[in-house]
Amino acid sequence: MKKIQLTNQELIQLQNEIVGTSPDSGLLSLKMSVLTKYKLNKLAKAVKDELSSYNTVNEDLIQKYGEPGPNGGIAIPFYIDEKDGDEIKKVENPNLEKYINEINPVLQTLVDIEVPEISIDEFKDTETTENYPILFEKIISLNEVSIIISPDIS
């Protein structure tokens, strides 16, 4: 295991990269060795645990600035109806800007997280067209990879 620093925003993106945002998405849905899946599951758990504090603050802010939606949940709409005489027009929701101003510093907060040692080599048989920038730029040590450029012989 190694300790690294990521922002809460990067942790959210990393979680989406690993577990996905819908069924059958994310790295864990791809074919790879059992050991690599084990390491990714440990990483996903560490990310989830670390994000629990962020999620609590985020939910509190949604409760503070949101309004009940048609499905019973609370959300912060982008636009709200404003009455101007007999006319009703859509205007930007001022509560959305307040929410963004309060959540942004939390999203940019650096946190320490323990991550398993994962090698780029462990993904050599994994096929995907997706991009996983946080995992491959921040977690996996790319200095293990050597690229050989041969001179153009024409």
Side-chain angles (χ1 to χ4, degrees):
M1 298 284 275
K2 63 182 179 180
K3 187 179 275 195
I4 64 167
Q5 281 194 326
L6 295 173
T7 65
N8 281 312
Q9 189 166 2
E10 289 171 325
L11 286 174
I12 293 166
Q13 185 174 345
L14 179 60
Q15 183 177 48
N16 291 340
E17 290 175 14
I18 297 169
V19 298
T21 56
S22 63
D24 298 326
S25 70
L27 264 170
L28 286 173
S29 69
L30 302 176
K31 180 185 166 199
M32 65 187 70
S33 78
V34 172
L35 180 58
T36 304
K37 277 202 183 211
Y38 171 78
K39 290 177 181 181
L40 285 176
N41 272 300
K42 285 191 68 80
L43 178 57
K45 182 183 181 319
V47 169
K48 180 182 176 186
D49 291 348
E50 188 58 51
L51 282 175
S52 67
S53 297
Y54 164 80
N55 288 332
T56 300
V57 169
N58 189 45
E59 284 299 317
D60 288 347
L61 288 175
I62 291 172
Q63 292 287 328
K64 180 178 178 180
Y65 293 115
E67 48 192 64
N71 61 356
I74 295 181
I76 305 171
F78 287 105
Y79 298 98
I80 56 173
D81 293 334
E82 186 176 88
K83 192 169 182 165
D84 185 14
D86 291 339
E87 189 178 311
I88 295 177
K89 58 183 177 180
K90 297 272 186 203
V91 296
E92 288 184 17
N93 185 351
N95 282 345
L96 180 61
E97 185 176 341
K98 292 175 187 174
Y99 164 80
I100 290 169
N101 288 336
E102 285 192 49
I103 200 65
N104 271 342
V106 180
L107 284 168
Q108 299 310 313
T109 299
L110 281 171
V111 294
D112 293 326
I113 184 168
E114 292 268 340
V115 299
E117 297 280 347
I118 304 174
S119 164
I120 190 73
D121 241 14
E122 295 180 57
F123 296 95
K124 68 178 179 234
D125 296 326
T126 304
E127 295 179 14
T128 184
T129 57
E130 298 299 318
N131 186 16
Y132 306 99
I134 301 298
L135 181 72
F136 288 108
E137 292 171 17
K138 305 275 184 155
I139 309 295
I140 294 175
S141 177
L142 293 180
N143 60 5
E144 304 169 8
V145 180
S146 59
I147 300 173
I148 299 171
I149 301 174
S150 56
D152 184 19
I153 302 174
S154 305

PDB file of all heavy atoms in Angstrom, residues 105-122:
ATOM      1  N   PRO A 105     -15.033  24.515  -2.243  1.00  0.00           N
ATOM      2  CA  PRO A 105     -13.860  24.328  -1.383  1.00  0.00           C
ATOM      3  C   PRO A 105     -13.749  22.900  -0.837  1.00  0.00           C
ATOM      4  O   PRO A 105     -12.639  22.384  -0.660  1.00  0.00           O
ATOM      5  CB  PRO A 105     -14.079  25.327  -0.238  1.00  0.00           C
ATOM      6  CG  PRO A 105     -15.032  26.333  -0.772  1.00  0.00           C
ATOM      7  CD  PRO A 105     -15.881  25.605  -1.772  1.00  0.00           C
ATOM      8  N   VAL A 106     -14.873  22.259  -0.617  1.00  0.00           N
ATOM      9  CA  VAL A 106     -14.859  20.870  -0.138  1.00  0.00           C
ATOM     10  C   VAL A 106     -14.362  19.954  -1.251  1.00  0.00           C
ATOM     11  O   VAL A 106     -13.576  19.038  -1.012  1.00  0.00           O
ATOM     12  CB  VAL A 106     -16.260  20.437   0.368  1.00  0.00           C
ATOM     13  CG1 VAL A 106     -16.232  19.007   0.867  1.00  0.00           C
ATOM     14  CG2 VAL A 106     -16.759  21.381   1.456  1.00  0.00           C
ATOM     15  N   LEU A 107     -14.813  20.195  -2.473  1.00  0.00           N
ATOM     16  CA  LEU A 107     -14.365  19.389  -3.612  1.00  0.00           C
ATOM     17  C   LEU A 107     -12.865  19.525  -3.842  1.00  0.00           C
ATOM     18  O   LEU A 107     -12.208  18.569  -4.250  1.00  0.00           O
ATOM     19  CB  LEU A 107     -15.110  19.802  -4.889  1.00  0.00           C
ATOM     20  CG  LEU A 107     -16.541  19.319  -5.020  1.00  0.00           C
ATOM     21  CD1 LEU A 107     -17.243  20.040  -6.169  1.00  0.00           C
ATOM     22  CD2 LEU A 107     -16.586  17.813  -5.219  1.00  0.00           C
ATOM     23  N   GLN A 108     -12.308  20.693  -3.562  1.00  0.00           N
ATOM     24  CA  GLN A 108     -10.879  20.941  -3.808  1.00  0.00           C
ATOM     25  C   GLN A 108      -9.990  20.570  -2.624  1.00  0.00           C
ATOM     26  O   GLN A 108      -8.763  20.658  -2.721  1.00  0.00           O
ATOM     27  CB  GLN A 108     -10.660  22.407  -4.192  1.00  0.00           C
ATOM     28  CG  GLN A 108     -11.380  22.820  -5.470  1.00  0.00           C
ATOM     29  CD  GLN A 108     -11.135  21.877  -6.628  1.00  0.00           C
ATOM     30  OE1 GLN A 108     -10.005  21.492  -6.903  1.00  0.00           O
ATOM     31  NE2 GLN A 108     -12.192  21.472  -7.307  1.00  0.00           N
ATOM     32  N   THR A 109     -10.588  20.124  -1.535  1.00  0.00           N
ATOM     33  CA  THR A 109      -9.811  19.737  -0.355  1.00  0.00           C
ATOM     34  C   THR A 109      -8.996  18.483  -0.641  1.00  0.00           C
ATOM     35  O   THR A 109      -9.514  17.491  -1.160  1.00  0.00           O
ATOM     36  CB  THR A 109     -10.757  19.485   0.839  1.00  0.00           C
ATOM     37  OG1 THR A 109     -11.466  20.686   1.125  1.00  0.00           O
ATOM     38  CG2 THR A 109      -9.988  19.034   2.065  1.00  0.00           C
ATOM     39  N   LEU A 110      -7.716  18.529  -0.296  1.00  0.00           N
ATOM     40  CA  LEU A 110      -6.833  17.373  -0.459  1.00  0.00           C
ATOM     41  C   LEU A 110      -7.020  16.420   0.711  1.00  0.00           C
ATOM     42  O   LEU A 110      -7.110  16.845   1.864  1.00  0.00           O
ATOM     43  CB  LEU A 110      -5.371  17.800  -0.506  1.00  0.00           C
ATOM     44  CG  LEU A 110      -4.866  18.373  -1.820  1.00  0.00           C
ATOM     45  CD1 LEU A 110      -3.466  18.950  -1.639  1.00  0.00           C
ATOM     46  CD2 LEU A 110      -4.865  17.322  -2.905  1.00  0.00           C
ATOM     47  N   VAL A 111      -7.089  15.131   0.390  1.00  0.00           N
ATOM     48  CA  VAL A 111      -7.194  14.101   1.420  1.00  0.00           C
ATOM     49  C   VAL A 111      -6.127  13.040   1.163  1.00  0.00           C
ATOM     50  O   VAL A 111      -5.732  12.799   0.030  1.00  0.00           O
ATOM     51  CB  VAL A 111      -8.605  13.453   1.458  1.00  0.00           C
ATOM     52  CG1 VAL A 111      -9.647  14.460   1.899  1.00  0.00           C
ATOM     53  CG2 VAL A 111      -8.987  12.878   0.121  1.00  0.00           C
ATOM     54  N   ASP A 112      -5.652  12.439   2.242  1.00  0.00           N
ATOM     55  CA  ASP A 112      -4.694  11.335   2.134  1.00  0.00           C
ATOM     56  C   ASP A 112      -5.468  10.037   2.032  1.00  0.00           C
ATOM     57  O   ASP A 112      -6.439   9.833   2.762  1.00  0.00           O
ATOM     58  CB  ASP A 112      -3.796  11.278   3.375  1.00  0.00           C
ATOM     59  CG  ASP A 112      -2.885  12.486   3.478  1.00  0.00           C
ATOM     60  OD1 ASP A 112      -2.461  12.999   2.433  1.00  0.00           O
ATOM     61  OD2 ASP A 112      -2.604  12.911   4.619  1.00  0.00           O
ATOM     62  N   ILE A 113      -5.029   9.177   1.133  1.00  0.00           N
ATOM     63  CA  ILE A 113      -5.697   7.884   0.968  1.00  0.00           C
ATOM     64  C   ILE A 113      -4.647   6.810   0.711  1.00  0.00           C
ATOM     65  O   ILE A 113      -3.682   7.044  -0.020  1.00  0.00           O
ATOM     66  CB  ILE A 113      -6.754   7.935  -0.163  1.00  0.00           C
ATOM     67  CG1 ILE A 113      -7.520   6.623  -0.261  1.00  0.00           C
ATOM     68  CG2 ILE A 113      -6.144   8.345  -1.474  1.00  0.00           C
ATOM     69  CD1 ILE A 113      -8.753   6.685  -1.148  1.00  0.00           C
ATOM     70  N   GLU A 114      -4.849   5.671   1.342  1.00  0.00           N
ATOM     71  CA  GLU A 114      -3.968   4.513   1.132  1.00  0.00           C
ATOM     72  C   GLU A 114      -4.480   3.747  -0.076  1.00  0.00           C
ATOM     73  O   GLU A 114      -5.672   3.411  -0.145  1.00  0.00           O
ATOM     74  CB  GLU A 114      -3.998   3.588   2.355  1.00  0.00           C
ATOM     75  CG  GLU A 114      -3.369   4.176   3.586  1.00  0.00           C
ATOM     76  CD  GLU A 114      -1.896   3.841   3.716  1.00  0.00           C
ATOM     77  OE1 GLU A 114      -1.433   2.868   3.098  1.00  0.00           O
ATOM     78  OE2 GLU A 114      -1.209   4.574   4.446  1.00  0.00           O
ATOM     79  N   VAL A 115      -3.593   3.495  -1.023  1.00  0.00           N
ATOM     80  CA  VAL A 115      -3.987   2.776  -2.235  1.00  0.00           C
ATOM     81  C   VAL A 115      -3.087   1.561  -2.428  1.00  0.00           C
ATOM     82  O   VAL A 115      -1.908   1.597  -2.086  1.00  0.00           O
ATOM     83  CB  VAL A 115      -3.933   3.693  -3.483  1.00  0.00           C
ATOM     84  CG1 VAL A 115      -4.881   4.868  -3.344  1.00  0.00           C
ATOM     85  CG2 VAL A 115      -2.534   4.177  -3.760  1.00  0.00           C
ATOM     86  N   PRO A 116      -3.646   0.489  -2.969  1.00  0.00           N
ATOM     87  CA  PRO A 116      -2.814  -0.700  -3.216  1.00  0.00           C
ATOM     88  C   PRO A 116      -1.838  -0.445  -4.366  1.00  0.00           C
ATOM     89  O   PRO A 116      -2.088   0.385  -5.234  1.00  0.00           O
ATOM     90  CB  PRO A 116      -3.832  -1.780  -3.586  1.00  0.00           C
ATOM     91  CG  PRO A 116      -5.040  -1.046  -4.046  1.00  0.00           C
ATOM     92  CD  PRO A 116      -5.039   0.279  -3.350  1.00  0.00           C
ATOM     93  N   GLU A 117      -0.748  -1.164  -4.331  1.00  0.00           N
ATOM     94  CA  GLU A 117       0.224  -1.081  -5.427  1.00  0.00           C
ATOM     95  C   GLU A 117      -0.376  -1.807  -6.631  1.00  0.00           C
ATOM     96  O   GLU A 117      -0.692  -2.990  -6.552  1.00  0.00           O
ATOM     97  CB  GLU A 117       1.537  -1.749  -5.030  1.00  0.00           C
ATOM     98  CG  GLU A 117       2.235  -1.096  -3.861  1.00  0.00           C
ATOM     99  CD  GLU A 117       3.007   0.154  -4.247  1.00  0.00           C
ATOM    100  OE1 GLU A 117       3.218   0.396  -5.458  1.00  0.00           O
ATOM    101  OE2 GLU A 117       3.390   0.893  -3.331  1.00  0.00           O
ATOM    102  N   ILE A 118      -0.569  -1.076  -7.709  1.00  0.00           N
ATOM    103  CA  ILE A 118      -1.121  -1.652  -8.939  1.00  0.00           C
ATOM    104  C   ILE A 118      -0.172  -1.285 -10.072  1.00  0.00           C
ATOM    105  O   ILE A 118       0.198  -0.120 -10.225  1.00  0.00           O
ATOM    106  CB  ILE A 118      -2.537  -1.132  -9.246  1.00  0.00           C
ATOM    107  CG1 ILE A 118      -3.484  -1.395  -8.067  1.00  0.00           C
ATOM    108  CG2 ILE A 118      -3.091  -1.769 -10.514  1.00  0.00           C
ATOM    109  CD1 ILE A 118      -4.864  -0.796  -8.224  1.00  0.00           C
ATOM    110  N   SER A 119       0.179  -2.262 -10.860  1.00  0.00           N
ATOM    111  CA  SER A 119       1.091  -2.052 -11.971  1.00  0.00           C
ATOM    112  C   SER A 119       0.302  -1.911 -13.277  1.00  0.00           C
ATOM    113  O   SER A 119      -0.727  -2.547 -13.454  1.00  0.00           O
ATOM    114  CB  SER A 119       2.047  -3.244 -12.071  1.00  0.00           C
ATOM    115  OG  SER A 119       2.690  -3.262 -13.312  1.00  0.00           O
ATOM    116  N   ILE A 120       0.814  -1.116 -14.177  1.00  0.00           N
ATOM    117  CA  ILE A 120       0.203  -0.975 -15.502  1.00  0.00           C
ATOM    118  C   ILE A 120       0.168  -2.319 -16.214  1.00  0.00           C
ATOM    119  O   ILE A 120      -0.737  -2.605 -16.990  1.00  0.00           O
ATOM    120  CB  ILE A 120       0.937   0.107 -16.341  1.00  0.00           C
ATOM    121  CG1 ILE A 120       0.174   0.455 -17.620  1.00  0.00           C
ATOM    122  CG2 ILE A 120       2.344  -0.330 -16.672  1.00  0.00           C
ATOM    123  CD1 ILE A 120      -1.060   1.258 -17.397  1.00  0.00           C
ATOM    124  N   ASP A 121       1.150  -3.157 -15.922  1.00  0.00           N
ATOM    125  CA  ASP A 121       1.228  -4.497 -16.514  1.00  0.00           C
ATOM    126  C   ASP A 121      -0.009  -5.347 -16.210  1.00  0.00           C
ATOM    127  O   ASP A 121      -0.358  -6.225 -16.986  1.00  0.00           O
ATOM    128  CB  ASP A 121       2.462  -5.212 -15.973  1.00  0.00           C
ATOM    129  CG  ASP A 121       3.427  -5.563 -17.066  1.00  0.00           C
ATOM    130  OD1 ASP A 121       3.279  -5.026 -18.169  1.00  0.00           O
ATOM    131  OD2 ASP A 121       4.319  -6.390 -16.792  1.00  0.00           O
ATOM    132  N   GLU A 122      -0.645  -5.083 -15.088  1.00  0.00           N
ATOM    133  CA  GLU A 122      -1.811  -5.871 -14.689  1.00  0.00           C
ATOM    134  C   GLU A 122      -3.006  -5.655 -15.631  1.00  0.00           C
ATOM    135  O   GLU A 122      -3.970  -6.409 -15.579  1.00  0.00           O
ATOM    136  CB  GLU A 122      -2.204  -5.548 -13.246  1.00  0.00           C
ATOM    137  CG  GLU A 122      -1.132  -5.973 -12.265  1.00  0.00           C
ATOM    138  CD  GLU A 122      -1.492  -5.670 -10.826  1.00  0.00           C
ATOM    139  OE1 GLU A 122      -2.557  -6.154 -10.379  1.00  0.00           O
ATOM    140  OE2 GLU A 122      -0.725  -4.963 -10.161  1.00  0.00           O
TER     141      GLU A 122
END
